[in-house]
Amino acid sequence: MTSPLTHFDAQGEAHMVDVSAKAETHRVAVAAGEIRMQPETFALIASGTAKKGDVLGVARIAAIQGAKRCSDLVPLCHPLPITRVKVEFELDEAGSRVLCRAQVETLGRTGVEMEALCAVQVGLLTIYDMCKAADRGMVIDRVRVLEKQGGKSGEWRALESA
């Protein structure tokens, strides 16, 4: 029986998957997550008055950098020629949270789900870093892949309730 875990060989050793036989296709992945905080911290971000500056502007650049550097952080992740990274933040005042959504694209032999997840995580970590002096209790949560397109497995979308 073949394992569905492709990063292990027949002897159970970790390895980087050989993608050389795969066709190059346009691949897209979208990931999202959120960071919850105290209302006072949310107000600092929303008003742009945080001591360290434009929190969301810096977090957007950090998220893009996170997507680009994913293979440096995740050992078996292929370095990919990313063709696009789009990062959006949504402010939810009622929930005292910032939502992050990242879309990553490439023309390649393997998907960009990891790059989209790294973008979201690094963007949210940057918000934490820039605001931790005001609120060390912030919580990063619900980081997940929302959809992927391209490759042999085609399209996949997360369930709405996930």
Side-chain angles (χ1 to χ4, degrees):
M1 183 171 152
T2 314
S3 171
L5 302 176
T6 58
H7 285 89
F8 294 98
D9 64 17
Q11 291 75 40
E13 301 290 325
H15 72 107
M16 183 180 271
V17 176
D18 180 1
V19 296
S20 61
K22 290 183 169 186
E24 282 195 347
T25 62
H26 180 238
R27 295 166 184 266
V28 179
V30 178
E34 65 184 48
I35 184 167
R36 295 187 313 273
M37 62 201 65
Q38 296 297 318
E40 298 80 14
T41 310
F42 179 86
L44 288 173
I45 294 171
S47 68
T49 58
K51 283 186 179 181
K52 291 188 177 181
D54 177 9
V55 173
L56 298 182
V58 174
R60 180 174 286 105
I61 297 300
I64 292 167
Q65 189 68 17
K68 291 168 51 177
R69 301 295 299 263
C70 184
S71 65
D72 291 337
L73 301 169
V74 180
L76 300 179
C77 192
H78 291 84
L80 298 176
I82 293 173
T83 58
R84 179 175 191 232
V85 180
K86 179 181 178 185
V87 177
E88 300 173 319
F89 292 102
E90 179 184 333
L91 299 174
D92 174 15
E93 185 174 9
S96 193
R97 63 189 181 142
V98 178
L99 294 86
C100 178
R101 180 182 170 97
Q103 178 174 321
V104 180
E105 299 183 31
T106 192
L107 179 63
R109 299 176 193 274
T110 189
V112 285
E113 298 93 37
M114 295 305 299
E115 288 73 12
L117 288 166
C118 277
V120 169
Q121 288 283 33
V122 171
L124 295 174
L125 284 168
T126 299
I127 293 171
Y128 185 95
D129 179 52
M130 293 186 73
C131 298
K132 69 182 180 280
D135 183 357
R136 294 200 184 272
M138 291 176 281
V139 176
I140 294 172
D141 200 11
R142 297 185 43 78
V143 176
R144 65 221 180 269
V145 174
L146 297 178
E147 63 182 85
K148 61 88 53 195
Q149 301 168 26
K152 187 171 75 172
S153 62
E155 292 191 14
W156 176 87
R157 292 196 195 311
L159 299 174
E160 290 295 322
S161 62

